[in-house]
Amino acid sequence: QVQLVESGGGLVQAGGSLRLSCAASGITFSSSANGWYRQAPGKQREWVAGISSGGSTKYADSVKGRFTISRDNAKNTVYLQMNSLKPEDTAVYYCKATGPMLDYWGQGTQVTVSS
């Protein structure tokens, strides 16, 4: 059974930083593409950042230069380092793992950025 558990969200002032973690069980992160998504109130879920099985990373334009996705294969954990946070970054953040047949999602962690 695959389980993804996010943590690290919270309330932070604009300009601050947070690091989100996504720990996996039942799936090997390094063998799959992983990503972070977010969903703000009243909006659709949007892709934020992704990391391939080979370690290549990509970012949405809105977070490029501020967010960094990384993976610790030994801990089977994916991270999202978020710097220079803005109020518009406020959302529930979800991690996703692309398995051989299914996509798997975590339960989400709330990030709130105050102005």
Side-chain angles (χ1 to χ4, degrees), residues 57-87:
T57 58
K58 290 184 179 180
Y59 300 91
D61 288 343
S62 59
V63 306
K64 200 172 293 183
R66 300 188 298 123
F67 290 11
T68 303
I69 187 171
S70 62
R71 184 172 61 219
D72 186 329
N73 295 336
K75 295 183 178 180
N76 209 26
T77 300
V78 172
Y79 303 96
L80 185 68
Q81 177 67 44
M82 306 186 294
N83 299 328
S84 301
L85 283 161
K86 304 175 182 180

Side-chain angles (χ1 to χ4, degrees), residues 8-88:
L11 174 63
V12 64
Q13 288 188 331
S17 299
L18 284 173
R19 188 177 81 153
L20 306 183
S21 300
C22 177
S25 58
I27 190 170
T28 301
F29 264 154
S30 60
S31 299
S32 64
N34 319 130
W36 285 96
Y37 292 71
R38 66 186 181 188
Q39 187 166 18
K43 295 187 176 181
Q44 289 189 331
R45 190 172 298 188
E46 64 174 357
W47 172 76
V48 174
I51 183 166
S52 71
S53 57
S56 300
T57 58
K58 290 184 179 180
Y59 300 91
D61 288 343
S62 59
V63 306
K64 200 172 293 183
R66 300 188 298 123
F67 290 11
T68 303
I69 187 171
S70 62
R71 184 172 61 219
D72 186 329
N73 295 336
K75 295 183 178 180
N76 209 26
T77 300
V78 172
Y79 303 96
L80 185 68
Q81 177 67 44
M82 306 186 294
N83 299 328
S84 301
L85 283 161
K86 304 175 182 180
E88 51 263 43

